[in-house]
Amino acid sequence: MAVRVAETLAGGGALLVEAGTGVGKTFAYLVPALLSGRRIIISTGTRSLQDQLFGRDLPVVSAAIGRPVSVAMLKGRSNYLCLHRLDLAANEARFASREEASWFTRISLWAQATDSGDISEIEGVPEQARVWPQVTSTADNCLGSRCPLYEECHLVEARRRAMTADVVVVNHHLLLADMVLKEEGFGQLLPGADAVIVDEAHQLPETAVNFFGVSVGSRQLDGLATDTVAEGLKAGIPLSALEPLVDELGKANGQARIALSGRDGRLAWSEGGSAIDEATAKLAEAVTALAEAMRPLADQGPGPESLLRRADSLVSALAILNQPDDSERIRWFESFRRSFALHSTPVDVSRELGDKVRDQAGVWIFTSATLAVGDDFSHSADRLGMPEADTLQLDSPFDFQRQSMLYLPEGLPQPSAPDYTDSLLDSIESVLEASGGRAFLLFTSHRALRLAANRMREAGPPIGDFPLLVQGDEPRDQLLRQFRQLGNAVLLGTSSFWEGVDVRGDALEVVVIDKLPFASPGDPLMSARLDAIRAAGGRPFPEYQLPQAVIALKQGVGRLIRDHEDRGVVVICDPRIVGRSYGRVFLESLPAMPVTRRLDDVLAFFDADPSEATA
Ligand code: SF4
C-alpha cells in the first residue's frame, strides 16, 4: 500500500485502496505522505480518528522518518469558542437554568486563559448543555472577516495554522465544506494542497449528501429569531423595528413544528401532506418579511449585515423547498421530538462529488477497510464519482481460519416474521453462555434493539447475569469504556456500533448480526435513488442495494478480529444469507473463515485451547 500511495503521490491521479483490518493502512499512507514533502490534507470520518492521527500516529511516523513535519489539526467550527457570540450571550444574560448560567461563568473564565479556544479543554460542562450554541458559531451566524474580533478569533487562528502546515488533519464535514465553499468568510484549504488522503472513504458519499443539498430546520429559524434580537440590540436598532417580524417568524416556525415534528425519522415529503407545503410557504413569507426589514438596516454593523445574509440565504433555500421534485432533486423532511428539518437533496451526489474532486489539481487517495464487493470496486468508485480511479485491494493479515468462525444458525424464521427477534435471542443463548458474554449484538433497527433489550433485561441466568449495555442509555464512548472494563458484558447497538469501534482482546469474542443490513427502501432518499436507477434502465437491487449492504456487513463483521491474538465467532442470524441466491455475494466478501451451521462446532470453538486451535 505504501508503495502504491508513493507512486500515486509522485505520478498523480486517484487511487482507491481497500485495506483489511490489521494491514496498517494509516502508516501505509502516512509514511509516503510525509516522505513526499508535499502539502497533504488527511480527512477522516470521525473525530476520534482525527485525534488518534494527530496525537498518536503522526508523531510516531514523523519521528521514525527523522524529519520534522509541521502538522495541524482543524476541527469543525462548533469545537471552537466564538468570542463574538460569547460577548452577545454576556450582554443578553438569558440562560435556561441556574446550572446553565454557572456553566456560562465557567466558560467565560476559561475564555480569558485559553490559547486554542478548543472547547474540549473545559471539563464539567456536558456536551448537550444548551449554553454551547450560545458561545460557538455556525457557518450561518459567523460574521467572518467583518467580525470585530476577527483578529483574535480562535477559529481563524486554527485555520491560519492549517493553511501553513505541511499536513492538515480534518474530517469529512470540513473537507466537504471546503469543497463546496460553504464556509464563507474563510480561506480555502484545498487549493493549497498537493494531495488529499480520505480515510474511512466509504462514509464520504453519505456525508456529501448534506453538503450538496439545501436544508432549513426549525432550530436554524429559532436561531435567526434569537440572534436578530441580540444583534439588533447590540447595533442599537430599536426593538420595535424588528420584534413584530421576529414574532411572526416564531409563530410560523411554531405552527410548522406542530404540523411536522414528533414522528421520528426521515420521511418522504408527501407524508407531510398539504401541511408541509403550507408550512414551507408561511416560513418563506415570514423570513422574506424579516429580510426586507433588515435590508435598510444592514449597514448598521457586521451583526445586522450577517443577519441579512442569513435571512437571504434562508429565503433562497425555502424557495427551492417550495418547488416540486424533479428527476434530479427530491424533497424530504426529518421529524424529531420537538423539531423538524426540511431538505432538498440531489438524488445522486456522485457526479457532483467526482466533479469537485477533479476540480482540485492534486492527487486523491481514498482508503477504507470496506470499499469492494468481492474484488469489485465499481460500487464505491461510482458513489465517489471516480469510476476511473486505480484500485488496490489488500487482505487482512489476520489468520481468520484459526482465529474465527462464522456461525449461521438453523431454524430461524424470515426476518419479517413478528417473532424474529425473540427467535434470534433463543438461538444465540447457548453461544453467549459458551463465550461468557463478551458479545456485540448488532441490530439493523432501533425497534429490534429495544425489543431485544427489554427481553434481555427480563432474562434469568445465565444470560441475565451478564452486564447489559444498551446503545442510547449512555454516550457511545462511555458504553465502550465500560464494555472493555467489564470483560463479560453484552452490548446491544445499532448503526453507530457497526463501524469505527475497536475492542481488542478477550472482552469481545462474539459479534451477532441480526439481519443483513439492507438500507430501508422506505427511506425517502433511498427510494428516490432506486427510482432513478430504474428510470435509467438499471437494476437497483444488484447495482445499489446489494453492494451497499455487503459493505455495511463487512464493517459489522470487522468488529470481531482486531489483533493477531483475538479469537471469536461471528453469528449471522438472517436465514437469507443461505436461503437466497444473493447470500453468496455476502459470504464471498467476508474474510475466509470456517463456516458452520452446528451449534456444537461453536461450543467446541470456545472449549478449545486457543494455542491448539486449527482450522
Ligand atoms: S469570526 Fe466568526 S467565529 Fe470568529 S469570533 Fe467572529 S463570529 Fe465568532
Side-chain angles (χ1 to χ4, degrees):
M1 176 170 173
V3 169
R4 285 291 295 274
V5 170
E7 285 170 0
T8 312
L9 286 172
L15 174 67
L16 262 63
V17 187
E18 180 181 88
T21 329
V23 162
K25 71 174 159 44
T26 313
F27 281 15
Y29 64 70
L30 283 183
V31 172
L34 267 52
L35 283 173
S36 73
R38 318 278 288 275
R39 291 207 62 237
I40 312 251
I41 294 177
I42 302 173
S43 180
T44 70
T46 56
R47 222 167 58 193
S48 55
L49 189 58
Q50 230 185 324
D51 286 334
Q52 183 189 310
L53 264 170
F54 185 73
R56 201 186 72 189
D57 301 334
L58 270 162
V60 169
V61 175
S62 148
I65 65 168
R67 184 188 296 178
V69 182
S70 72
V71 179
M73 173 157 71
L74 191 60
K75 297 185 181 175
R77 61 163 66 236
S78 61
N79 293 282
Y80 299 95
L81 174 75
C82 167
L83 297 168
H84 171 66
R85 292 186 61 74
L86 180 76
D87 238 18
L88 280 185
N91 283 343
E92 235 194 325
R94 264 199 260 155
F95 299 102
S97 64
R98 215 179 273 173
E99 205 175 31
E100 293 277 344
S102 80
W103 289 331
F104 180 77
T105 311
R106 188 180 302 187
I107 294 170
S108 304
L109 287 172
W110 161 80
Q112 293 166 19
T114 178
D115 280 333
S116 72
D118 184 334
I119 63 170
S120 65
E121 287 177 8
I122 300 195
E123 280 176 14
V125 182
E127 244 175 75
Q128 316 74 9
R130 286 163 69 178
V131 68
W132 285 126
Q134 290 181 269
V135 296
T136 54
S137 66
T138 62
D140 259 356
N141 61 30
C142 170
L143 306 185
S145 54
R146 298 270 286 131
C147 176
L149 296 165
Y150 190 75
E151 284 311 311
E152 296 134 72
C153 173
H154 295 297
L155 178 62
V156 172
E157 181 51 33
R159 280 229 157 203
R160 268 190 206 127
R161 273 199 304 270
M163 311 274 272
T164 54
D166 297 328
V167 177
V168 187
V169 182
V170 299
N171 60 32
H172 295 349
H173 285 270
L174 276 171
L175 179 74
L176 287 156
D178 217 75
M179 276 167 125
V180 300
L181 304 179
K182 282 233 166 137
E183 288 275 316
E184 282 157 32
F186 289 97
Q188 295 166 251
L189 285 174
L190 279 166
D194 300 316
V196 182
I197 299 173
V198 183
D199 203 339
E200 294 172 324
H202 65 283
Q203 296 177 358
L204 193 69
E206 220 37 62
T207 313
V209 169
N210 302 325
F211 287 87
F212 296 137
V214 158
S215 302
V216 173
S218 52
R219 296 224 167 96
Q220 205 180 353
L221 294 161
D222 274 340
L224 177 69
T226 321
D227 291 348
T228 302
V229 174
E231 294 278 15
L233 276 176
K234 193 163 191 230
I237 298 170
L239 264 189
S240 56
L242 297 172
E243 217 165 30
L245 297 162
V246 168
D247 288 349
E248 270 310 304
L249 174 58
K251 213 160 91 193
N253 200 15
Q255 283 167 352
R257 198 179 280 123
I258 290 168
L260 304 175
S261 66
R263 297 183 217 186
D264 202 16
R266 289 153 64 121
L267 300 160
W269 194 265
S270 58
E271 290 188 50
S274 58
I276 194 163
D277 290 322
E278 282 159 26
T280 312
K282 280 210 174 113
L283 287 169
E285 229 172 82
V287 181
T288 306
L290 188 64
E292 290 321 312
M294 289 299 308
R295 207 167 302 286
L297 304 170
D299 58 1
Q300 302 206 10
E305 186 192 317
S306 132
L307 285 172
L308 176 61
R309 188 168 34 83
R310 278 166 76 179
D312 276 342
S313 89
L314 280 167
V315 170
S316 316
L318 285 160
I320 294 173
L321 288 161
N322 263 322
Q323 281 162 22
D325 296 350
D326 57 31
S327 58
E328 306 263 300
R329 301 182 79 87
I330 64 145
R331 294 174 302 167
W332 52 287
F333 71 108
E334 279 176 295
S335 173
F336 307 104
R337 204 147 69 94
R338 289 205 195 87
S339 61
F340 67 88
L342 310 171
H343 305 275
S344 166
T345 309
V347 172
D348 180 9
V349 293
S350 56
R351 200 180 52 222
E352 224 171 319
L353 182 57
D355 288 347
K356 295 275 178 213
V357 166
R358 275 181 291 270
D359 279 352
Q360 311 296 329
V363 165
W364 286 74
I365 313 274
F366 298 94
T367 185
S368 162
T370 53
L371 287 173
V373 175
D375 56 5
D376 180 2
F377 281 77
S378 56
H379 176 71
S380 294
D382 287 348
R383 290 207 73 207
L384 289 162
M386 303 295 294
E388 73 282 16
D390 287 337
T391 59
L392 171 68
Q393 187 170 31
L394 297 160
D395 286 341
S396 166
F398 300 145
D399 185 354
F400 283 87
Q401 287 290 350
R402 182 184 59 83
Q403 292 177 258
S404 60
M405 176 174 279
L406 173 59
Y407 174 44
L408 309 173
E410 277 184 300
L412 274 154
Q414 286 304 306
S416 53
D419 60 344
Y420 180 74
T421 304
D422 278 329
S423 310
L424 175 153
L425 291 174
D426 289 341
S427 77
I428 60 165
E429 203 173 307
S430 305
V431 179
L432 296 186
E433 193 179 350
S435 63
R438 306 161 198 274
F440 271 10
L441 273 52
L442 300 179
F443 293 91
T444 47
S445 73
H446 287 277
R447 198 177 149 269
L449 171 99
R450 281 193 298 270
L451 265 174
N454 289 342
R455 202 179 123 198
M456 289 190 73
R457 280 191 182 111
E458 289 160 7
I463 301 301
D465 288 342
F466 301 126
L468 189 65
L469 302 170
V470 180
Q471 178 179 337
D473 284 356
E474 282 171 81
R476 187 178 100 134
D477 289 350
Q478 215 155 306
L479 287 175
L480 281 172
R481 224 180 353 261
Q482 288 179 37
F483 185 83
R484 289 189 186 99
Q485 276 163 6
L486 286 160
N488 67 339
V490 175
L491 186 147
L492 276 54
T494 58
S495 51
S496 64
F497 284 89
W498 281 69
E499 44 183 288
V501 172
D502 188 22
V503 178
R504 289 164 199 231
D506 49 18
L508 179 63
E509 294 198 341
V510 176
V511 169
V512 178
I513 307 277
D514 80 326
K515 294 180 189 173
L516 296 175
F518 289 111
S520 158
D523 179 84
L525 264 180
M526 176 59 88
S527 104
R529 276 181 203 147
L530 302 184
D531 287 347
I533 295 171
R534 242 175 253 123
R539 294 177 307 145
F541 185 75
E543 288 171 28
Y544 195 90
Q545 288 163 289
L546 182 59
Q548 183 100 334
V550 168
I551 287 171
L553 182 73
K554 281 168 74 171
Q555 279 289 341
V557 170
R559 298 312 101 215
L560 183 66
I561 304 295
R562 310 294 301 170
D563 211 336
H564 286 285
E565 301 307 317
D566 282 359
R567 293 181 85 238
V569 173
V570 177
V571 188
I572 300 180
C573 299
D574 193 328
R576 293 175 297 180
I577 198 159
V578 282
R580 298 287 173 89
S581 54
Y582 57 72
R584 188 182 41 82
V585 184
F586 285 97
L587 291 172
E588 286 171 2
S589 289
L590 297 179
M593 55 186 142
V595 183
T596 185
R597 306 216 63 190
R598 288 165 23 98
L599 177 64
D600 284 349
D601 291 338
V602 177
L603 304 184
F605 178 91
F606 285 115
D607 266 349
D609 176 346
S611 58
E612 290 170 11
T614 54

